[in-house]
Amino acid sequence: DEAVRLNRRAAEWFLNEGLIEEAVPYALDSGDQAWALSIIEAALPEVMLRGDVLTPTFDRWVQGIPRQELERRPWAALPLAFARALSGKVGEAAVLANCVEDVLEGTTPVADDLTEAEKAHQRGVLGLVRAYVARFQGDPEGALSLADGAAALLPKDDSTQPWLRLFRQLVLHDAWAPNREAELREATSNCFEKGHPAAANALQVLDFYRLALCGRLNEAGEHLERALKRAYERNALPSAGMLHGVAAELHYQRGDLDEAEEEAQRCLSLGAPGSGAGLFFPPEASLVLIQHADGRIEEARYSLHLLQERVKEVETVQGLLFFPALVAHLHLLLGFPTPAEQWAASSMLSADTEPTFALEYPCMVFARVLVASGRTEEAIQLVRRVAEGAHASGRHGRALEAEVIEACALWRDGDERSAAIVFGRLLPLAERERYVRVILNEGEPAFALLRKSAMSGAHASYALRLLLAAGADGGEPRPHRAGRPDELSDREVDVLRLLVLGSSNREIAQDLVVSLDTVKTHLRNVYAKLDVHSRTQAVRIARQRELV
């Protein structure tokens, strides 16, 4: 009884201070669920603007409200339904939407009467929720029809309009309508101008994903730097976490493993999903890739376990296609083919599958499983169709990945000449956009093709750089020269000591009161003097030689 009383006092204190969101958990624990719901209603507008509806904290809010309370309050149930739809929890969204529809149809009594204007608004938002559910359940045409109906009911200045813009772009993306960057960026600017940073950040993630698919990594990196700056200027947290998830993938693809890991951890710490719409990899998946590339296989296995736990909750059609393929791909990469083979056997895919846009990534993973099981000819035919379709639609980045798989499969099959021709075809884009991991992840066949390219040709220096990176990223480090501790400056020793303690680059910068760029410069010097290429190897050598 005393705990209940104290929780209510705490909630009241926060409310009196104007801290509505801080009051919610105490109100939920006070036992007065109707009162707690009224506080959540007051907090919802700001929470929606920032994108907090995608965080675990918001999940706890929703789970704390009894369903019977929500059924009587459509003005609270509807935003919650919309939030669940945004995060891909379409089953919960559909149930809540049904509750609202019963109220609007008069079959369920409500706590307070609604005006006709309020009912019209509720019907408009309800249409948008239904549109999201339809989209996530694989009905894009029905989704667009519902969205258009919702737009007709909602005034142009309605707070839901930015989410309508985001939704339309998502559905158009599903159908891969090319050359939409200008429209995407106009919608992003409009959302920022109208004070909706969460919707703006989600639109930017979609923009970056399109750029990556098109093989325009340099452009994506330039835009991303500006996007992160603007997100923090507008205090657009936690939705800025999605941008850090994108940054993790871009750094990883470039082979910048330390920066990639920092960005993935930042994404996780902000609580925003890296892949709410099934676009970029979740941060847990990025960590698997980074840790694998850095030779930390046990850590990678644990990160894969966390990812598998997370994707169990996925209800969307996109998630049901994308995430199982992703998990299978990561198992293959870590050297555990059996789970990947089990996925392939149950996936309904075959060597004859038509690789539509939604199936391109699963088809490439399926082709990798075919190669691993010795069925290289079938794999080659499948990835060729992926590459042809992707090139025809301007997705040259996706085609590049398919061509890497094809070249390596041809090499495994003994057709070294054809493999070299395919590999030579993809190298200009790979060098221009500074791809690293998409090639190195294919293992020994890719290394063999790189060695052949490094011997001659216009891309010899690029091939050599990748071979050097391959030597640094996998297995045991190369033999080290017998360096002396006094080769490191005092400040470099400080940096190395913090590295051994597990500090991130940002934490090192804070501890030493220097800029992040200065830390990176010191790390480059440390790596060069120790003849290593990653923090894991630097830590190992520092301990072996007792440098710190």
Side-chain angles (χ1 to χ4, degrees):
D1 292 343
E2 180 70 1
V4 168
R5 186 181 68 80
L6 289 173
N7 273 301
R8 187 172 185 96
R9 281 187 60 195
E12 289 171 345
W13 186 89
F14 278 115
L15 288 173
N16 289 335
E17 295 295 318
L19 302 170
I20 300 174
E21 292 167 49
E22 287 81 351
V24 170
Y26 298 100
L28 287 169
D29 289 341
S30 74
D32 190 342
Q33 303 301 328
W35 181 54
L37 182 54
S38 69
I39 297 173
I40 291 176
E41 286 178 53
L44 272 173
E46 184 64 26
V47 167
M48 291 286 287
L49 287 181
R50 288 201 314 269
D52 284 3
V53 294
L54 302 176
T55 65
T57 297
F58 190 79
D59 277 350
R60 289 192 288 272
W61 288 13
V62 176
Q63 299 303 328
I65 299 297
R67 185 56 47 82
Q68 60 267 26
E69 286 294 335
L70 287 171
E71 288 175 354
R72 298 174 60 247
R73 296 172 182 269
W75 45 93
L78 203 48
L80 294 179
F82 182 51
R84 302 321 254 173
L86 274 177
S87 58
K89 294 182 171 65
V90 293
E92 290 182 47
V95 169
L96 289 170
N98 290 338
C99 294
V100 175
E101 194 156 26
D102 288 343
V103 168
L104 294 174
E105 296 300 322
T107 56
T108 300
V110 292
D112 301 299
D113 290 334
L114 297 174
T115 66
E116 288 305 313
E118 288 171 334
K119 286 183 179 179
H121 172 81
Q122 299 289 347
R123 287 193 177 95
V125 181
L126 178 63
L128 182 55
V129 173
R130 297 284 195 208
Y132 266 88
V133 171
R135 182 251 173 180
F136 279 134
Q137 290 180 337
D139 180 14
E141 291 182 6
L144 273 180
S145 176
L146 286 163
D148 289 340
L153 287 169
L154 293 166
K156 291 189 183 299
D157 59 350
D158 190 274
S159 61
T160 312
Q161 288 290 353
W163 300 109
L164 270 168
R165 293 189 187 92
L166 169 60
F167 177 75
R168 290 191 66 83
Q169 294 301 325
L170 281 169
V171 176
L172 290 168
H173 172 82
D174 291 342
W176 189 260
N179 305 318
R180 302 202 66 82
E181 283 83 5
E183 186 178 330
L184 259 173
R185 289 166 195 171
E186 182 183 355
T188 302
S189 297
N190 186 276
C191 286
F192 270 123
E193 289 166 9
K194 300 294 184 182
H196 291 76
N201 282 338
L203 282 163
Q204 288 183 111
V205 169
L206 188 58
D207 190 11
F208 296 132
Y209 183 56
R210 293 180 65 85
L211 289 173
L213 284 174
C214 292
R216 293 152 62 185
L217 297 191
N218 293 332
E219 188 178 347
E222 292 167 5
H223 284 305
L224 181 60
E225 190 174 336
R226 291 193 293 271
L228 279 165
K229 185 173 184 291
R230 181 160 60 171
Y232 280 94
E233 287 173 350
R234 306 290 181 95
N235 196 29
L237 304 176
S239 63
M242 295 186 288
L243 299 176
H244 285 291
V246 174
E249 284 202 55
L250 287 176
H251 282 301
Y252 168 76
Q253 190 51 252
R254 294 277 173 70
D256 301 327
L257 301 184
D258 289 347
E259 289 85 349
E261 187 158 11
E262 283 194 29
E263 294 291 356
Q265 295 290 3
R266 180 61 62 90
C267 177
L268 284 168
S269 68
L270 286 171
S275 189
L279 300 178
F280 274 80
F281 287 173
E284 297 93 338
S286 292
L287 285 175
V288 176
L289 293 166
I290 294 160
Q291 290 156 356
H292 162 264
D294 207 23
R296 294 144 56 194
I297 302 303
E298 287 305 311
E299 289 180 59
R301 291 181 67 180
Y302 180 68
S303 297
L304 179 54
H305 166 72
L306 295 180
L307 173 66
Q308 288 177 283
E309 289 300 307
R310 172 176 172 176
V311 301
K312 285 178 182 177
E313 303 174 4
V314 174
E315 303 172 5
T316 67
V317 167
Q318 290 88 339
L320 294 173
L321 285 172
F322 176 80
F323 285 123
L326 171 61
V327 170
H329 185 186
L330 295 175
H331 272 116
L332 271 181
L333 200 60
L334 294 180
F336 303 104
T338 301
E341 290 166 358
Q342 291 169 343
W343 163 79
S346 62
S347 68
M348 306 300 289
L349 297 174
S350 74
D352 298 322
T353 297
E354 183 59 34
T356 61
F357 174 50
L359 287 176
E360 282 176 349
Y361 177 73
C363 280
M364 289 193 296
V365 178
F366 189 81
R368 288 182 170 102
V369 176
L370 291 176
V371 170
S373 59
R375 297 162 61 186
T376 51
E377 278 193 38
E378 295 171 81
I380 290 165
Q381 295 306 315
L382 181 56
V383 291
R384 274 180 182 163
R385 293 201 302 277
V386 172
E388 288 167 5
H391 273 311
S393 299
R395 294 188 297 277
H396 304 299
R398 173 60 53 80
L400 183 147
E401 183 175 358
E403 288 170 340
V404 172
I405 299 170
E406 180 188 354
C408 292
L410 286 165
W411 187 275
R412 287 181 186 275
D413 210 33
D415 191 351
E416 296 182 10
R417 182 175 177 279
S418 297
I421 291 171
V422 174
F423 199 69
R425 203 163 58 222
L426 64 87
L427 281 177
L429 174 62
E431 179 171 20
R432 185 174 70 247
E433 300 294 332
R434 295 158 47 209
Y435 281 91
V436 175
R437 295 308 320 178
V438 72
I439 295 175
L440 298 187
N441 283 351
E442 298 304 318
E444 182 52 40
F447 303 156
L449 288 163
L450 285 169
R451 285 192 289 270
K452 188 176 181 66
S453 300
M455 297 297 290
S456 62
H459 306 285
S461 60
Y462 168 68
L464 185 59
R465 286 202 304 273
L466 263 61
L467 284 169
L468 291 173
D473 286 335
E476 291 298 311
R478 293 169 295 161
H480 298 279
R481 64 178 185 268
R484 301 185 308 277
D486 60 4
E487 286 182 353
L488 299 173
S489 69
D490 290 343
R491 182 42 59 98
E492 287 163 358
V493 171
D494 291 337
V495 169
L496 186 57
R497 181 180 296 111
L498 291 169
L499 206 65
V500 170
L501 291 172
S503 299
S504 69
N505 288 6
R506 292 182 190 278
E507 290 167 338
I508 294 172
Q510 291 168 355
D511 285 348
L512 299 183
V513 197
V514 296
S515 72
L516 191 58
D517 286 339
T518 299
V519 170
K520 291 177 180 178
T521 299
H522 286 316
L523 281 174
R524 280 195 294 271
N525 293 338
V526 168
Y527 290 175
K529 291 178 180 180
L530 298 182
D531 196 20
V532 299
H533 294 81
S534 72
R535 64 170 53 217
T536 303
Q537 293 175 3
V539 168
R540 188 185 304 150
I541 294 303
R543 286 173 173 159
Q544 286 174 355
R545 294 165 54 191
E546 298 181 350
L547 299 182
V548 295

